[in-house]
Amino acid sequence: MPRTDARGGPQTRARISQIATRLFLDQGFDAVTVADVARAAGVSAVTVFKHFPRKEDLLLDRAEDAEQMLRSAVRDRPAGTDVLDALEALMLRLAGEHHGLSGIAAESTPFFRTVAGSTPLIARARELAADLQHQLTVELERDPDFDGDSTLLAAFFISGYTTVLTDNARRLIAGETSAEVALHHRQRLEQLFRALRNANR
């Protein structure tokens, strides 16, 4: 019988996600069940679902991180700093760190290949992007220093950055080096924020 971890805290969540990710990348998302993940993690399926209500979220587990980063970029930006400048600074920082959410690290290739090969994962990724768009819209609407169109800016930003990430994934899967993808990524970010600034005038 699997061992149920009574703690049920962040460490348990992280361990389950790490084990699930390894299984998905090694065997394919559709070939691995939640029961398989629970067995490998030494917990019950109930514990897995407690932390991850949907199977797809075991692999797509960065949504909360992304939401917190966007919220912080808007809320914690220095006085007088434009929202787009703050968002651009965040994206450039992630790229400089080769953060997972930048999509430029060579280690991300198996992840992108797994997502690209699974219709449920693609559908869930789109849902998470829509959730991020909504959260960013809400944050902009609450910002007393932002006087633009919150709905449009959030839509344009999330859609644009999703396009950049998708292009990064395609390039990594095609065999481009991380350095090549990183250079192209920065160029696309410049184009994205130039377009956003023009649209926000």
Side-chain angles (χ1 to χ4, degrees):
M1 293 290 291
R3 176 180 56 81
T4 300
D5 193 331
R7 293 172 301 171
Q11 291 182 342
T12 299
R13 186 182 193 280
R15 181 165 56 82
I16 292 171
S17 178
Q18 290 169 359
I19 290 171
T21 296
R22 186 183 71 239
L23 291 173
F24 292 147
L25 299 189
D26 288 347
Q27 303 177 32
F29 180 77
D30 294 335
V32 177
T33 66
V34 172
D36 293 331
V37 173
R39 190 177 306 109
V43 299
S44 69
V46 171
T47 298
V48 174
F49 280 118
K50 173 184 175 182
H51 291 283
F52 302 94
R54 297 178 58 164
K55 177 187 173 184
E56 293 81 7
D57 294 342
L58 284 159
L59 187 63
L60 304 174
D61 64 341
R62 293 291 185 92
E64 283 189 21
D65 292 342
E67 182 179 331
Q68 291 173 0
M69 288 179 183
L70 290 177
R71 183 184 299 117
S72 178
V74 175
R75 290 185 184 180
D76 302 334
R77 72 188 191 280
T81 300
D82 183 76
V83 165
L84 283 175
D85 290 340
L87 291 173
E88 183 174 25
L90 171 62
M91 297 302 105
L92 290 174
R93 177 172 65 80
L94 294 179
E97 297 172 353
H98 278 219
H99 191 282
L101 291 173
S102 71
I104 61 178
E107 301 80 44
S108 298
T109 305
F111 167 83
F112 285 137
R113 188 176 288 116
T114 300
V115 174
S118 170
T119 300
L121 284 173
I122 292 173
R124 182 57 177 154
R126 289 172 177 162
E127 291 177 355
L128 292 173
D131 289 343
L132 282 176
Q133 179 181 320
H134 172 71
Q135 294 301 325
L136 181 56
T137 299
V138 171
E139 201 61 43
L140 292 172
E141 288 175 345
R142 292 174 176 170
D143 191 315
D145 297 321
F146 179 73
D147 59 0
D149 190 315
S150 302
T151 301
L152 282 179
L153 179 57
F156 290 158
F157 171 72
I158 296 298
S159 177
Y161 194 66
T162 299
T163 299
V164 172
L165 283 181
T166 301
D167 193 38
N168 290 349
R170 180 183 62 80
R171 288 171 177 273
L172 286 172
I173 291 172
E176 289 191 23
T177 67
S178 179
E180 291 172 328
V181 175
L183 177 60
H184 184 73
H185 178 72
R186 286 184 174 272
Q187 293 171 343
R188 294 302 297 276
L189 284 181
E190 290 178 7
Q191 294 170 348
L192 170 60
F193 281 96
R194 189 182 308 122
L196 289 173
R197 289 188 176 93
N198 289 336
N200 201 43
R201 288 176 180 173

